[in-house]
Amino acid sequence: MTSARMGSREVNGREQLVPDHEVVIIGAGFGGIGAGVELNKKGIDDYVILEKWDAAGGTWHANKYPGVAVDIPTFIYSFSYDQKTTWSKFFTPGDELEEYAQELVDKHGLRDKIRFNTRVVRQAFDETCNMWRISLEGDSEITARHVIAATGGLEQPKLPEIDGLDTYQGVLMHTALWDKDVQLAGKRVAVIGTGATSLQLVPEIAEEVSHLTVFQRTPIYVGPKPDLKYNRFWRALFGFPGLAKGIRHAINLSTAYTPDALWRLDSKYVESASMFVANRIRAWMRSQVDDPVTREKLLPYYGFGCKRPSFSNTYLKTFNRPNVALATEPIQRITEKGLLTADGVEHEVDVLICATGFHLWEHTPAFPVSGRGGKDLQGFFQVNRYQAYQGVSIPDYPNLYMVTGPYGYVFGPYHMLIESTTAHAARVIAETKKRGTTTAEVKQDVHDAYFHKMHERNKNHLWLSPACATSNTYYIDDHGDSPFRPGGFGEMYYHNKYFPLDNYRYSAETAAPATKSRSTRKRNKEVVG
């Protein structure tokens, strides 16, 4: 494999390879856009953004299923430095969010930085030259001193692990890979899954299909959705100078330290509060469904907050339609004609839609990544649990920064996380350049102390309590941990913006000849700064 423009320079009298770019950002969703903005702020302009799709927008470009929309109010689902007041609704449709991403790309001069239709298949740290070698689909390579991984959590669609899926003879698709050419009108359709995606999809397609069967494994809490239109009044109100920003700050302030206080409470009090809220929501849910048998099947009985709560004014009412059925018997296998459930009934369908989410933890990272000594990152996570300092960096993986790493995300507005972790990465990259070094690597003791603190805090978490035992929540990883950051936005934001830069070890290469193999590399010389 060859690199497009990698050159060399003389260092201490020896030829040394120079990477193609100072920074490579992987992904042009909101995470990658936010990373580009932060690099611009630091005056770092030698970077490129690699995007596998043909446009920016990430999940909002990839997800085109009917009804796709954000499930939190959009005025907080946006960057603090680029708030928008021209949305159509408080819970904005996906096409408007993709449009917002395009506007950000142009406003911040990122369009020329993006290489579209460029899929990363692996990356490896070259210890001889202190740089990352990034392999691309098509057998080409690009090199970078630093890498910011902005692939997001909703990266790899997850098909259900059900026997016979590959034998189905009808139309099969995942909501994240929606085929707009498939016509649903007059068809018998099945939807597997009742999470946030299904809540949006099911009401949209119920009117046009001849029959719709929704297969539910675990019911979800559904609350009323105050989906107001952004009419002239709201646009004028939020357009008033400083008001939108003030509301955003008020919301962030209200959630800044409240979650941290909850983590510190005895779990029995949190569980009691969770069940109190659950009872109130179930009462509303009962009022939406006519048939008592279907109504009971749709009601969850684990604690509120164990799974991501969702909002819809139409999902539950959809089950009042004569052409819509809810199936709760376990799916035994997929047949050529449809789905066979444990009660012996074969549900014949023309189109099978999997609203089954994404591989969130077990496929982190999204492609093979090897650090010092060829250490595989996914293997490291599987053996040592998911962990990263501030959710950003890990020892033995120098110059690598994650936007949505383990123990980085405080549950709530996504863009606040992006602003925090990308600022973290940009600070370290700028400091590396300032010190005239080629690597920055979080110190082992700093990383370990952070992981221990987060892991201990989470032992008291609602998600790990008996109240959530039957929830089947993706908040719990394959180790039985909850690798979300237990704390508030204030702590997350402050610690990423102002952590001591000496928490990283900055090193310079000893300029081993570029023609020698890795086995002849010399130990890096640490630079004291």
Side-chain angles (χ1 to χ4, degrees):
M1 291 187 294
T2 58
S3 180
R5 66 179 189 89
M6 188 169 64
S8 62
R9 65 182 176 186
E10 189 173 287
V11 180
N12 296 332
R14 292 181 176 179
E15 186 180 43
Q16 188 61 241
L17 292 177
V18 177
D20 297 326
H21 295 280
E22 187 73 18
V23 186
V24 161
I25 300 169
I26 303 176
F30 284 129
I33 292 169
V37 170
E38 293 298 332
L39 291 178
N40 289 345
K41 289 179 182 178
K42 291 293 185 181
I44 301 169
D45 59 5
D46 182 15
Y47 65 89
V48 65
I49 303 174
L50 307 181
E51 172 53 54
K52 66 179 182 180
W53 301 110
D54 59 359
T59 190
W60 300 108
H61 175 69
N63 285 266
K64 300 293 187 182
Y65 62 85
V68 60
V70 71
D71 55 3
I72 62 174
T74 317
F75 63 85
I76 58 174
Y77 188 81
S78 54
F79 288 112
S80 63
Y81 46 76
D82 273 304
Q83 296 184 62
K84 186 175 178 179
T85 61
T86 56
W87 308 108
S88 63
K89 296 180 178 180
F90 273 54
F91 293 82
T92 302
D95 57 347
E96 292 184 41
L97 290 163
E98 183 181 6
E99 182 181 321
Y100 174 57
Q102 301 294 340
E103 292 171 359
L104 291 170
V105 165
D106 291 327
K107 178 178 179 180
H108 294 280
L110 304 179
R111 180 101 25 211
D112 292 340
K113 297 287 190 180
I114 304 176
R115 286 177 53 177
F116 294 112
N117 299 306
T118 304
R119 183 185 292 270
V120 174
V121 296
R122 70 182 61 85
Q123 68 180 74
F125 187 68
D126 186 334
E127 296 179 67
T128 302
C129 306
N130 284 356
M131 65 186 181
W132 285 95
R133 295 185 178 275
I134 302 154
S135 301
L136 309 177
E137 192 173 60
D139 202 33
S140 62
E141 180 184 83
I142 188 171
T143 57
R145 188 69 71 198
H146 303 267
V147 173
I148 299 177
T151 52
L154 308 182
E155 164 65 17
Q156 297 192 39
K158 182 179 182 179
L159 288 171
E161 297 178 357
I162 303 174
D163 290 341
L165 190 64
D166 57 346
T167 68
Y168 177 61
Q169 297 298 305
V171 177
L172 171 68
M173 58 182 172
H174 191 283
T175 51
L177 300 170
W178 192 263
D179 187 346
K180 63 182 181 181
D181 293 328
V182 173
Q183 300 298 313
L184 300 181
K187 301 289 182 61
R188 298 168 300 172
V189 178
V191 174
I192 301 177
T194 54
T197 297
S198 186
L199 262 63
Q200 296 176 345
L201 172 71
V202 165
E204 290 292 321
I205 65 175
E207 294 185 7
E208 63 174 317
V209 303
S210 65
H211 191 271
L212 174 63
T213 306
V214 179
F215 289 83
Q216 172 186 278
R217 180 175 59 175
T218 307
I220 187 173
Y221 282 102
V222 183
K225 187 176 184 178
D227 198 9
L228 302 174
K229 291 186 177 181
Y230 256 66
N231 55 26
R232 290 183 180 180
F233 170 77
W234 290 112
R235 292 183 181 185
L237 184 64
F238 285 112
F240 191 79
L243 181 62
K245 186 171 289 188
I247 293 174
R248 182 189 180 97
H249 286 327
I251 293 172
N252 288 337
L253 185 62
S254 70
T255 59
Y257 293 100
T258 302
D260 188 40
L262 291 176
W263 307 153
R264 298 172 190 275
L265 286 175
D266 189 295
S267 60
K268 66 181 180 182
Y269 297 116
V270 179
E271 289 180 53
S272 296
S274 169
M275 297 311 294
F276 175 82
V277 175
N279 288 333
R280 298 301 180 271
I281 295 179
R282 279 197 295 268
W284 180 82
M285 293 177 67
R286 287 188 178 96
S287 71
Q288 304 297 297
V289 184
D290 297 336
D291 178 63
V293 176
T294 302
R295 179 194 308 148
E296 184 62 29
K297 289 180 178 180
L298 287 164
L299 295 178
Y301 283 93
Y302 51 83
F304 177 77
C306 298
K307 293 172 75 75
R308 181 168 183 159
S310 293
F311 307 93
S312 175
N313 299 326
T314 56
Y315 174 73
L316 295 171
K317 290 180 178 179
T318 302
F319 292 95
N320 297 328
R321 297 179 58 90
N323 68 324
V324 178
L326 177 69
T328 57
E329 288 289 330
I331 301 171
Q332 195 172 62
R333 61 185 174 89
I334 307 294
T335 67
E336 292 184 359
K337 297 180 179 180
L339 304 91
L340 179 67
T341 47
D343 56 1
V345 176
E346 183 176 18
H347 304 261
E348 295 187 6
V349 294
D350 305 305
V351 181
L352 175 55
I353 301 172
C354 298
T356 45
F358 299 83
H359 292 285
L360 187 59
W361 299 115
E362 67 272 27
H363 284 250
T364 300
F367 43 79
V369 175
S370 55
R372 292 194 186 280
K375 182 184 290 186
D376 176 65
L377 183 54
Q378 188 176 101
F380 170 79
F381 284 148
Q382 290 303 313
V383 172
N384 299 281
R385 299 178 125 95
Y386 296 98
Q387 52 188 281
Y389 173 60
Q390 305 287 350
V392 176
S393 55
I394 308 166
D396 288 329
Y397 299 88
N399 299 357
L400 175 63
Y401 317 91
M402 293 178 286
V403 175
T404 57
Y407 295 104
Y409 183 36
V410 173
F411 191 72
Y414 180 49
H415 290 70
M416 194 70 172
L417 166 75
I418 295 172
E419 290 186 37
S420 300
T421 55
T422 55
H424 181 135
R427 286 186 70 209
V428 177
I429 294 170
E431 185 68 11
T432 307
K433 289 174 62 67
K434 178 182 176 182
R435 298 189 185 204
T437 57
T438 54
T439 64
E441 186 173 352
V442 65
K443 294 177 179 177
Q444 188 73 53
D445 60 333
V446 171
H447 169 273
D448 291 349
Y450 177 81
F451 172 58
H452 178 74
K453 180 179 180 180
M454 296 298 106
H455 195 258
E456 286 300 308
R457 275 192 190 180
N458 265 350
K459 286 183 177 180
N460 202 42
H461 204 298
L462 169 69
W463 299 335
L464 299 175
S465 73
C468 295
T470 62
S471 64
N472 190 39
T473 177
Y474 72 78
Y475 295 159
I476 306 301
D477 66 23
D478 45 326
H479 294 291
D481 299 330
S482 178
F484 289 81
R485 182 170 187 152
F489 285 112
E491 180 187 73
M492 176 187 71
Y493 190 80
Y494 181 85
H495 284 182
N496 277 289
K497 291 274 190 178
Y498 302 108
F499 66 87
L501 286 165
D502 282 336
N503 282 355
Y504 282 77
R505 179 177 292 106
Y506 304 88
S507 306
E509 59 201 2
T510 56
T515 56
K516 291 190 176 181
S517 66
R518 296 185 187 184
S519 63
T520 63
R521 62 182 179 271
K522 296 183 179 180
R523 180 172 297 178
N524 286 358
K525 173 185 175 184
E526 184 172 330
V527 176
V528 179

